[in-house]
Each structure stands twice: as C-alpha cells, then as structure tokens.
Amino acid sequence: MRVEIPVDLLTGGQGDENAELILRLIAFFREARHEWVISPRDVDTVHAFLERHVPVLAQIYLLLAQKASMAQVWAPHGGEAEVVRVAGETLAADLRDLERPAVLVVENAAYDWQMIEALARLLGCEDVVDAKDDSRLGVYNGGGKDGAIRHAVDQAGQFSRTKRVVLVIDSDSFHPADRNGNHEKAEAAAREGVSSHVLGLREMENYIPNRVLARQPKSTVGMSSMAKRLESLKKFSPDQRAHFDMKHGFKGKPQNRSDRKGRHSGRAETTYVIPSRHGDLYDEVAVQDLITLQEGFGTDLPGLFLKEVMRGGISERDLDGLGPGVKQELQSMFEKIRGVI
C-alpha cells in the first residue's frame, strides 16, 4: 500500500503521543512492506521527529524519507494509486490493517495461482509473486465463485479501514457481450470494500498461449491429436477463442438438453455440442473444426503453463495471439493486486 503520514502527527504533542506507532509504520517502509508517500518539503519535519525520538536510527530513517520523497516527485503514477492517509484518530487501526497480509481470493487456489504466477512472470509483475513468497500476500481458496465471493467479503470485514482484499473470478461468459451473475456478485462484493476483477475472457485457461498447448502431450499419438486441435483452434477469431471452453471443448460438461445446440456431420462419433448461450458465435466455423475441438485441452493446463514460463519456453509476445486488449486487462488485474499489497 502507498501510505502518507501528515506532518502534524510528527510535531508537538501529537508527535510525542504517536511516536511509537509512527515508528512502527516507518519500519514497514524500511522493510519494503509498504511505500512511503512524502513530499520533499516534509523531510525536515521527519528529520526533527527522528532526532527527538530515535537518534540512533535517525540517519537510516532520514535516508529512507529522502528516497521516498524523490521517488514521489519523479514517479509518473504519483497521484493515481490509492493512498492510505493516516490521521491521529485512525493511526492505531491503520497500523493493524497494514500489519496484516493482503488477501487475494480466487476460485481454486492451486490452479488459479499457477495461472496468476505464470502471467505475472511474463508481464514483469514478479513483485506480486515476491509478495506471496514473503507472506505479504495470502492466496485463499474460495471453492468456486460463490464461496470465493463470500470469503472475500468475510476477509474484508477483518480490516478496520483499508480493505486490503482482491477477488479474481472467471467471467464464464459465452460471448463478448455476455454479462451474467458473476459480474453482479463481484459488484456486490465491491460495495463491501473488496477490489473485484472479473476476467474478460471466459476462464483462466483462456489466457494460455497456443505455444503452451503445443507442448502438452507426451506420446506420438497425443502429439498428432494435439496438432490437429491446435490447427482448428488457430482458425478461431479472438472472440471465438476467448469464449471457448478450453478444458472441455465442445463435448461440454453435463447440462440440460434445452441449453444445448447439437449438430453433427451424419457420421458416427462426430457429434459435438455447442451451448445455446454462445448464440451465433461459432455459426461460421467449419463443422470439421468443431468436431476436432470437441475434446478440449484438458484440466492440467495451469501447471504446464507455469512450468513452461519458468523454463523460459514462453515469452510475453506469446500473449499477443490472445487478441487485442488482453495484456492491458491483465495489467489492470495486477494493478488491483498491487494496490492492496
């Protein structure tokens, strides 16, 4: 979090009364747990406060204040991100909020974090991964969307003033204009102080580049089948790929008969199923490509994605094939996560 300490808390009686809490807060900046927001004109006041209360540590903390003030002057995003502005009456509560780890709530902590870590490493957001490794960010398993939303709201209630909680859930959208209950539930959580991000694509797996999918199978037969599926997938438009069920394909999960548009080529074992909620999104796709993609790409994709990123086999450029605006959306998601750390 970006934190500002008003100078009136450092002077006179307030400075004496709040000294212990202020010093604990400054220690957060020294440990790089939080970022100090301070103007160069206030550094002398900080210096006087430190000389009065911690003469031994004064030079260390003064240097920290000077660096923070210069960073504030030169940072292009200086006034954009949320800042926690402490006050005398909120200082103790703010300190408790800032001591706690930030919270990221997802539907499935194991799979979703693998995806988020892989994307973070591709997009230069390793600081988010570092925050988790250093226990400054906790990742919580919601056990599905409804559980994730409930848990995020519960976690937000544990913070007094600054709700350091981010919720990331799938959109489950079937076409670009599909706005569903997931968006409404995320907005309800936001009204409770949760910073919510609903994915623009259908699910986490839709952000996996084709190059990762090509490296999935181990057997010769599997490689041949995967190559055919990839060729069919590459024929999709960005919107069609964005809302395709990457895990289950057009075979689909069990659904009501009324929610399906079944088509087949007239030959045995060539049936595929398109949920009616897709509308006409796939109407222009060749039947053979729909048949080829009926199996999807499986459920073990996040781990494979992270493995390929860690070994250097995938780069940020591979995300370009997912369509325009995808990288910007992911950067927005990471900014929300950074905003609570």
Side-chain angles (χ1 to χ4, degrees), residues 88-315:
E89 62 272 17
T90 67
L91 183 55
D94 288 332
L95 191 64
R96 287 193 298 271
D97 287 345
L98 294 168
E99 280 179 327
R100 295 171 59 89
V103 176
L104 169 62
V105 183
V106 293
E107 298 178 44
N108 183 308
Y111 287 103
D112 290 348
W113 176 253
Q114 287 176 332
M115 284 293 308
I116 290 172
E117 180 177 351
L119 291 167
R121 294 185 182 281
L122 282 185
L123 293 171
C125 300
E126 292 90 343
D127 55 311
V128 172
V129 179
D130 293 341
K132 179 180 181 293
D133 291 343
D134 296 341
S135 299
R136 292 180 287 119
L137 174 68
V139 179
Y140 288 82
N141 181 59
K145 263 167 285 295
D146 289 341
I149 292 166
R150 286 194 302 270
H151 190 71
V153 172
D154 288 345
Q155 285 291 311
Q158 303 300 310
F159 290 87
S160 298
R161 203 166 74 95
T162 305
K163 312 293 186 181
R164 301 175 56 215
V165 181
V166 174
L167 169 70
V168 175
I169 58 173
D170 296 340
S171 68
D172 292 337
S173 56
F174 283 74
H175 55 81
D178 187 8
R179 178 180 170 81
N180 54 48
N182 296 346
H183 299 84
E184 296 171 0
K185 292 173 182 177
E187 288 174 357
R191 289 193 290 272
E192 299 295 327
V194 176
S195 181
S196 300
H197 184 89
V198 180
L199 296 177
L201 308 190
R202 179 172 176 166
E203 296 176 320
M204 279 284 188
E205 287 80 4
N206 291 87
Y207 294 86
I208 295 178
N210 290 346
R211 191 186 298 271
V212 174
L213 303 176
R215 296 174 181 176
Q216 184 181 18
K218 300 293 191 297
S219 66
T220 303
V221 174
M223 291 176 65
S224 175
S225 174
M226 184 62 65
K228 291 178 181 178
R229 272 178 273 173
L230 269 176
E231 284 305 308
S232 293
L233 186 70
K234 290 176 182 178
K235 296 177 184 178
F236 278 0
S237 69
D239 283 345
Q240 289 168 339
R241 192 192 190 285
H243 302 283
F244 174 61
D245 189 337
M246 296 292 291
K247 291 180 287 190
H248 304 285
F250 290 124
K251 185 175 184 179
K253 293 183 266 188
Q255 301 174 35
N256 295 328
R257 187 181 300 274
S258 61
D259 189 40
R260 293 182 163 199
K261 265 197 327 187
R263 289 157 43 180
H264 60 83
S265 66
R267 299 191 304 276
E269 303 300 321
T270 58
T271 299
Y272 59 90
V273 177
I274 301 179
S276 61
R277 285 179 58 191
H278 281 304
D280 61 359
L281 186 60
Y282 298 99
D283 283 359
E284 302 303 318
V285 178
V287 168
Q288 187 54 55
D289 290 322
L290 298 175
I291 293 169
T292 301
L293 288 166
Q294 65 178 305
E295 293 296 329
F297 293 89
T299 59
D300 60 347
L301 298 176
L304 177 65
F305 185 19
L306 180 57
K307 178 181 177 182
E308 290 297 321
V309 169
M310 294 298 289
R311 78 176 189 86
I314 305 295
S315 72

